[in-house]
């Protein structure tokens, strides 16, 4: 089976994007198996996630489904949604304002700049829903919240050397019914934080849109920083402001397109 795709990244958080119509005949189990294979860094095309982009039609907006490298379908990715918006604009299916229905609801993005395949969008991330503002995780003060997907932001004085190991352990903490994305947040100044991200089903990523949103929201809610906030990720900065809603600005770049030859031999880990 041949799976066509475009490859894009949002601040080096990379995704493979396939038009949903190309795989509309496949069931959930098959889509999960493809995600597991196509995202593999050694035997697949390699990515932090596989996205199915539905084209806008009949007055309805574009749609977006996201599968993690472990084959599981999740609500959304901030960086990934910017990548989908970039593809829609590049293909002439959207203009300066892009509306996309995701697993976390309808999202709106505004094109702020473009240079060929390189884009910058501001995205309405919605409202942060706080579940526990005074948690303690692995000995660190933490805020558990939802910004379209579950987040747990740990406030640290310095990024722990073993943050990836801690992230892997905390992702599956019993208190998280559907697992959680984990961020480690260091306060730089009143308008700047540094963050590292361990994403459920994907592992450590160089940046994260929803992770950055959760990290900054947690720091704001604790009174440690104030809007606007620059989030320093391993892949460069993202910028956030919190007004009536939370708005995140960052890049998206389309880098390649191709075909993946799915043999059907992969299985989903339990």
């Amino acid at each position: 089976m041949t799976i066509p795709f475009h490859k894009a990244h949002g601040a080096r958080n990379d995704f493979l994007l396939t038009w949903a119509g190309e795989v509309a005949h496949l069931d959930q189990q098959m889509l999960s198996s493809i995600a597991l294979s196509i995202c593999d860094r050694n035997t697949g095309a390699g990515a932090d996630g596989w996205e199915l982009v539905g084209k806008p039609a009949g007055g309805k907006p574009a749609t977006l489904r996201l599968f993690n490298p472990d084959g599981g379908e999740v609500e959304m990715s901030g960086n990934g949604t910017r990548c989908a918006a970039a593809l829609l604009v590049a293909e002439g299916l959207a203009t300066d304002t892009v509306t996309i229905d995701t697993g976390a609801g309808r999202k709106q993005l505004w094109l702020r700049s473009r240079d060929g395949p390189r884009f910058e969008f501001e995205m309405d991330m919605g409202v942060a829903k706080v579940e526990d503002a005074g948690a303690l995780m692995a000995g660190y003060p933490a805020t558990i919240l939802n910004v379209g997907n579950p987040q747990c932001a740990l406030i640290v004085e310095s990024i722990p050397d073993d943050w990836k190991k801690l992230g892997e352990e905390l992702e599956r903490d019993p208190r998280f019914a559907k697992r959680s994305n984990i961020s480690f947040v260091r306060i730089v100044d009143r308008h700047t934080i540094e963050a590292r991200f361990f994403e459920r089903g994907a592992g450590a990523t160089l940046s994260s849109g929803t992770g950055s949103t959760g990290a900054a929201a947690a720091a704001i809610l604790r009174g440690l920083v104030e809007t606007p906030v620059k989030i320093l990720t391993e892949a460069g900065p993202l910028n956030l402001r919190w007004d009536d809603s939370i708005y995140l600005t960052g890049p998206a770049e389309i880098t390649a397109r191709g075909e993946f030859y799915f043999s059907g031999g992969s299985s989903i880990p339990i």
Side-chain angles (χ1 to χ4, degrees):
M1 182 188 304
T2 300
I3 307 296
F5 66 85
H6 287 78
K7 185 161 186 175
H9 73 93
R12 298 181 70 186
N13 190 195
D14 59 338
F15 299 87
L16 301 167
L17 299 91
T18 296
W19 295 116
E22 300 279 358
V23 293
H25 59 293
L26 301 178
D27 62 20
Q28 185 78 11
Q29 180 72 19
M30 182 62 74
L31 292 175
S32 294
S33 293
I34 293 171
L36 189 68
S37 296
I38 198 172
C39 291
D40 191 283
R41 297 285 181 186
N42 296 305
T43 60
D48 290 326
W50 182 43
E51 298 189 316
L52 305 183
V53 185
K55 299 178 180 180
K60 295 183 179 180
T63 60
L64 186 62
R65 296 175 66 186
L66 171 61
F67 289 83
N68 274 339
D70 67 352
E73 184 172 3
V74 293
E75 300 89 348
M76 63 166 283
S77 160
N79 290 338
T81 303
R82 290 201 312 277
C83 289
L87 181 61
L88 290 164
V89 172
E91 295 293 315
L93 297 171
T95 54
D96 291 348
T97 300
V98 186
T99 303
I100 303 176
D101 281 344
T102 75
R106 183 162 294 180
K107 301 298 177 183
Q108 195 160 44
L109 304 92
W110 298 270
L111 179 62
R112 296 309 185 201
S113 66
R114 178 181 182 182
D115 180 11
R118 300 177 181 87
F119 301 76
E120 183 176 68
F121 288 97
E122 183 176 47
M123 176 177 169
D124 185 351
M125 300 297 291
V127 178
K129 299 177 181 178
V130 179
E131 297 175 10
D132 189 344
L136 189 68
M137 305 291 292
Y140 296 103
T143 299
I144 299 171
L145 66 167
N146 193 298
V147 293
N149 59 21
Q151 299 285 332
C152 177
L154 283 69
I155 307 299
V156 299
E157 291 187 5
S158 61
I159 304 297
D161 291 337
D162 62 345
W163 69 268
K164 293 179 183 179
K165 181 177 182 294
L166 283 174
E168 184 175 16
E169 293 172 355
L170 294 174
E171 172 201 10
R172 296 178 179 274
D173 188 276
R175 73 180 299 164
F176 303 130
K178 297 182 178 180
R179 296 186 289 169
S180 182
N181 300 286
I182 308 297
S183 61
F184 298 85
V185 186
R186 182 180 74 87
I187 309 303
V188 177
D189 58 40
R190 290 295 294 174
H191 292 283
T192 312
I193 63 173
E194 179 186 12
R196 298 290 184 271
F197 309 101
F198 193 95
E199 297 195 299
R200 58 175 179 162
T205 56
L206 294 172
S207 71
S208 170
T210 52
S212 292
T213 302
I220 291 171
L221 289 166
R222 286 178 171 271
L224 301 173
V225 298
E226 54 189 313
T227 188
V229 179
K230 178 178 289 186
I231 303 100
L232 304 178
T233 78
E234 290 183 287
L238 297 173
N239 295 288
L240 177 144
R241 62 183 176 90
W242 192 345
D243 297 325
D244 57 317
S245 188
I246 299 177
Y247 300 89
L248 185 71
T249 299
E253 179 178 2
I254 302 170
T255 58
R257 67 178 177 181
E259 295 179 332
F260 175 66
Y261 307 121
F262 177 64
S263 65
S266 298
S267 60
I268 301 172
I270 297 175

